[in-house]
Amino acid sequence: PPPPPSMPPAAAAAEELEIQMTPVLERMGNDVHPSASAFPDVEAGNGAAKRGIFGSSGNGGGKSNIICPDSPASSGYGGEQIELNLDEIAPGLEQSDGGEVVTKDLSDSGSSRKKKKCMILITAMLLIAAILGTVLGVTLGKENANKASAADGTGEAAGELVTAEDVDATGEDGDGEEEEGDREVPSSTTMQPTDTTPQPTESPRTPPAAEGYEPSDPPAPAPSDPIAVVNEDTALAVLKRNLPVESYTGVSLDTPQNAALGWVLDSDTFEYDWEGLAQDPPEENAELDFMQRYVGATLYYVLDGANWRNNSQWLSGADICEWYGVVCFGEQVVAEEGDGSDGGRRVQNEGAITSLQLVDNKLIGWLPPDIVAFTALEHLELHRNKVYGEIPPSLYEMTSLKTLFLDENRFVGPLSSEIGNLVLLEKLTLSENKMSGEIPTEVGMLEKLTMFWLYNNENMVGPFPSEIGNLVNMKSIAFFNTGLTGPVPTTLSNLQSLEVFKVENCNLSGDGYMSLYDIPTLKVLGVAGNKFLTGTLDGIGKLAKLEELYLGETNMGGPLPEELGQLSNLKTLKSPETAFTGAIPASWGNLKSLEELDFSQNQLTGALATELGQLTKLVKLELYENDLTGALPDTIGNWANIEEVFLYSNGLTGALPD
């Protein structure tokens, strides 16, 4: 908007005169004699003082003075005079007395009536002076405007009046600026439209000062221009549409979510489609871009991204698919011939994040519920970090997940029954955390699950769910070092693709694990450390692919079976502190891949068969504290890779070969 017109110089002078003279007249009327400091412009004389009103002398050459009695001055009181010089009040005007000094002496000391007349006369003269000054100012302004018009040839008046003093001092505009017609229009950086939108007293995007949370840049203040306000309103509407309630509430508080929004609105150089976001509903790709970058920034702030091992491209203007650990996929739909389209278009999932892999990357913090906004995420791999807290409920809504690796962190709390929602899940690892509670039976709904690891969560208790027997695609189960109790369900025999089953050091009981002998794909079987387990090795010969067998510290027993010698792929056979009896079968000499054999602290009897000398890959042999007898066979000299042999507390005789 254009600036308001300035006050004419003469009018301004009259106004200033009125402001200065009002207290003088009031004091004179009350017969008050202020100190000389109240009259900074008074010049001291020999009993007389003069106070100039308008400036230099005029054309008349004479003086017309008004003398009032008892007027204040710098030198004292009494017979002093104030002379009002009419030549100074109205320069250039002809005096009525022909240039003579007209002096009207009102000095009648002590007469209040004379004082009042003097005041009235002064006031009248001041009003006349003001009127004359106004006329004079207008006249001079017109003359100066004509001069300026003649100088530049335009004939247009200046935007502001130019006073006589300005002309006298500089010969042109006194302020040295260009006239209005020559000025450039102010740029948008110096003249902004007035913003009438109410603003908060503080910025709604102030980052928290919490430990482990340091934004990469200080947040910008709240937007002050209408476009920024509209963008923020649009952003908040999109966040409300996509975020869990607890996350959206945090956007307006001192939280990492707040800082993430500030980064998106104030610092991110990525070009957002704000018009597409403002639609109802938002345009799909515009919403995808906005939400993914917002959630990415939230993860960065929550998980101490500034101190990651690798944070390349994070919080940069680059496409989010270029950020370290982020994998996206695109899809191009080719139009059918003759359908009138341009031959292809971008579809919803182009550029969508499908994998977030930040393994062993020094992440410290909690997993925010905002991550649910990664709607196309299939693989979330955050293992070997320091992520703590409970698994957010929103994670169980991420129905596109196929891989969830959260092991080797500091998660606490139970595994929710909502895990059954993740019907596409194929791999789930929550091992080496501090989780508690029972395994929900709803895991039986995850029919695509092939890997399920919960080991080293000592506070996970309760029964082994029989519903796991429904997971016919399962390949690996690892629940060791947990608090599971009760029997191993026989329904596990349905898992005909199972390769690994490890439940060591739990509180399991019974012989239900023997149902696993019917799974020909099994490679690793570990049930050691469950002192209430019972059963035998009968039927184990069907595990043709078995490579590792751990049975120690259980209540298993019975004679050692000949059929075990059929397991030609077996590398490790360990069953210390169990109740097996009888001699070691000669058929075990066929275990040509065996590297470790441990049946210490059992009830074995008899002599060592010479066929055991065929175990040429054997590295460690432990048979101590049994009832073995007889001479050591010479064939043990074929154990070229042997490193450790423990045979004490038996009845064996003979010498070990060199």
Side-chain angles (χ1 to χ4, degrees):
S6 59
M7 183 179 292
E15 180 178 354
E16 179 64 20
L17 174 65
E18 182 179 357
I19 292 174
Q20 292 184 9
M21 293 303 298
T22 297
V24 176
L25 297 176
E26 291 177 351
R27 288 172 182 144
M28 291 175 63
N30 295 321
D31 198 20
V32 176
H33 302 285
S35 65
S37 61
F39 300 90
D41 296 329
V42 173
E43 298 178 3
N46 298 324
K50 295 182 180 180
R51 186 179 180 90
I53 304 300
F54 274 112
S56 60
S57 61
N59 300 326
K63 295 183 179 179
S64 298
N65 299 329
I66 300 175
I67 302 174
C68 293
D70 298 323
S71 299
S74 60
S75 59
Y77 304 99
E80 300 166 351
Q81 299 175 338
I82 288 181
E83 297 181 10
L84 300 183
N85 192 335
L86 295 185
D87 285 342
E88 295 178 350
I89 294 175
L93 298 181
E94 183 178 353
Q95 303 298 320
S96 60
D97 292 327
E100 297 179 358
V101 177
V102 180
T103 301
K104 298 188 182 293
D105 191 351
L106 304 178
S107 57
D108 183 7
S109 178
S111 174
S112 61
R113 186 177 66 178
K114 291 182 179 180
K115 291 181 181 179
K116 291 181 180 179
K117 289 182 179 180
C118 180
M119 290 174 59
I120 294 171
L121 183 58
I122 290 175
T123 302
M125 294 304 297
L126 290 176
L127 292 176
I128 294 171
I131 295 171
L132 294 176
T134 301
V135 174
L136 176 63
V138 173
T139 302
L140 293 176
K142 289 182 178 180
E143 292 177 357
N144 188 71
N146 292 335
K147 292 179 181 179
S149 176
D152 60 13
T154 61
E156 295 178 0
E160 297 180 359
L161 292 178
V162 182
T163 65
E165 292 179 1
D166 292 335
V167 175
D168 290 341
T170 64
E172 54 185 10
D173 290 11
D175 56 9
E177 294 181 354
E178 295 181 358
E179 297 182 7
E180 184 81 22
D182 297 328
R183 291 177 183 168
E184 294 182 0
V185 177
S187 68
S188 60
T189 59
T190 59
M191 184 176 70
Q192 298 292 342
T194 302
D195 182 13
T196 59
T197 304
Q199 297 295 327
T201 56
E202 296 181 358
S203 169
R205 301 191 301 278
T206 303
E211 182 179 357
Y213 164 69
E214 293 291 339
S216 57
D217 294 305
S224 59
D225 62 277
I227 294 178
V229 171
V230 170
N231 289 350
E232 181 170 348
D233 291 343
T234 299
L236 290 172
V238 174
L239 292 178
K240 185 175 183 180
R241 164 186 165 89
N242 288 276
L243 292 180
V245 174
E246 63 271 24
S247 294
Y248 178 72
T249 302
V251 171
S252 61
L253 303 176
D254 190 16
T255 62
Q257 287 89 346
N258 180 282
L261 179 59
W263 173 78
V264 168
L265 293 175
D266 303 327
S267 302
D268 191 7
T269 58
F270 182 83
E271 294 186 5
Y272 293 93
D273 181 4
W274 292 108
E275 292 185 1
L277 284 171
Q279 297 178 14
D280 187 15
E283 197 275 326
E284 293 175 348
N285 289 313
E287 187 174 38
L288 179 69
D289 289 337
F290 173 82
M291 288 306 305
Q292 288 189 154
R293 297 181 74 84
Y294 165 81
V295 174
T298 299
L299 289 172
Y300 182 89
Y301 289 132
V302 169
L303 297 171
D304 194 24
N307 294 309
W308 292 352
R309 294 187 192 277
N310 192 334
N311 58 10
S312 175
Q313 298 294 342
W314 280 75
L315 296 198
S316 73
D319 191 300
I320 196 170
C321 301
E322 299 177 12
W323 295 10
Y324 171 76
V326 175
V327 179
C328 304
F329 71 86
E331 181 181 355
Q332 188 72 21
V333 177
V334 180
E336 296 182 3
E337 184 177 357
D339 68 355
S341 73
D342 59 0
R345 62 180 179 86
R346 184 180 179 185
V347 296
Q348 179 179 0
N349 286 329
E350 183 180 349
I353 296 176
T354 60
S355 180
L356 182 61
Q357 301 169 331
L358 298 174
V359 181
D360 193 19
N361 202 38
K362 295 182 67 174
L363 276 62
I364 301 177
W366 66 96
L367 188 60
D370 311 63
I371 197 170
V372 69
F374 286 163
T375 55
L377 193 66
E378 297 179 355
H379 307 283
L380 180 59
E381 302 179 19
L382 304 179
H383 48 299
R384 295 200 293 275
N385 285 292
K386 294 181 180 180
V387 185
Y388 52 80
E390 294 191 6
I391 297 175
S394 61
L395 186 140
Y396 301 113
E397 300 174 12
M398 302 179 69
T399 55
S400 295
L401 277 177
K402 296 180 179 179
T403 301
L404 182 57
F405 288 167
L406 301 180
D407 49 300
E408 296 186 56
N409 280 288
R410 299 177 180 179
F411 286 104
V412 298
L415 179 62
S416 172
S417 60
E418 299 297 316
I419 189 69
N421 296 333
L422 307 182
V423 293
L424 298 181
L425 200 60
E426 298 175 0
K427 298 177 182 180
L428 173 60
T429 65
L430 298 169
S431 50
E432 298 194 57
N433 281 287
K434 300 179 182 298
M435 299 188 68
S436 58
E438 299 184 0
I439 301 175
T441 58
E442 285 77 7
V443 297
M445 302 170 63
L446 309 179
E447 296 181 356
K448 294 183 180 294
L449 201 62
T450 62
M451 178 187 292
F452 192 11
W453 291 0
L454 296 175
Y455 64 85
N456 289 350
N457 284 287
E458 297 179 356
N459 294 322
M460 292 201 74
V461 297
F464 196 118
S466 60
E467 288 80 4
I468 291 180
N470 299 331
L471 309 180
V472 295
N473 294 299
M474 182 64 69
K475 293 183 177 181
S476 180
I477 294 176
F479 295 166
F480 58 89
N481 294 340
T482 63
L484 294 179
T485 58
V488 176
T490 58
T491 56
L492 297 185
S493 62
N494 297 329
L495 309 182
Q496 290 296 300
S497 297
L498 191 66
E499 297 177 358
V500 177
F501 184 81
K502 291 177 66 66
V503 292
E504 295 99 320
N505 301 323
C506 298
N507 292 306
L508 299 172
S509 58
D511 60 359
Y513 67 93
M514 293 180 64
S515 63
L516 300 174
Y517 297 170
D518 294 325
I519 300 176
T521 57
L522 198 63
K523 296 180 179 180
V524 179
L525 175 58
V527 295
N530 291 279
K531 60 183 179 179
F532 301 113
L533 278 183
T534 59
T536 67
L537 289 175
D538 294 340
I540 200 168
K542 293 179 287 187
L543 300 179
K545 294 185 178 181
L546 193 65
E547 297 178 1
E548 300 176 32
L549 180 58
Y550 305 95
L551 308 173
E553 300 180 52
T554 64
N555 201 27
M556 294 177 64
L560 299 180
E562 289 276 354
E563 62 180 316
L564 194 145
Q566 302 173 14
L567 307 181
S568 59
N569 293 304
L570 193 62
K571 297 178 180 180
T572 303
L573 174 54
K574 303 183 72 171
S575 183
E577 298 185 52
T578 49
F580 288 101
T581 61
I584 298 176
S587 63
W588 286 21
N590 296 323
L591 302 177
K592 302 296 179 65
S593 299
L594 196 63
E595 298 175 359
E596 290 187 62
L597 176 60
D598 183 0
F599 270 85
S600 59
Q601 297 179 293
N602 275 269
Q603 302 171 25
L604 302 182
T605 59
L608 295 180
T610 58
E611 287 81 1
L612 296 181
Q614 301 174 23
L615 304 178
T616 57
K617 292 186 178 181
L618 196 63
V619 175
K620 187 174 183 178
L621 175 64
E622 297 182 77
L623 296 175
Y624 62 89
E625 296 187 21
N626 278 288
D627 293 323
L628 298 173
T629 58
L632 292 175
D634 295 336
T635 55
I636 65 175
N638 297 329
W639 296 345
N641 295 299
I642 197 70
E643 295 179 0
E644 297 177 272
V645 177
F646 298 92
L647 299 175
Y648 62 88
S649 297
N650 280 291
L652 297 171
T653 60
L656 290 173
D658 294 335

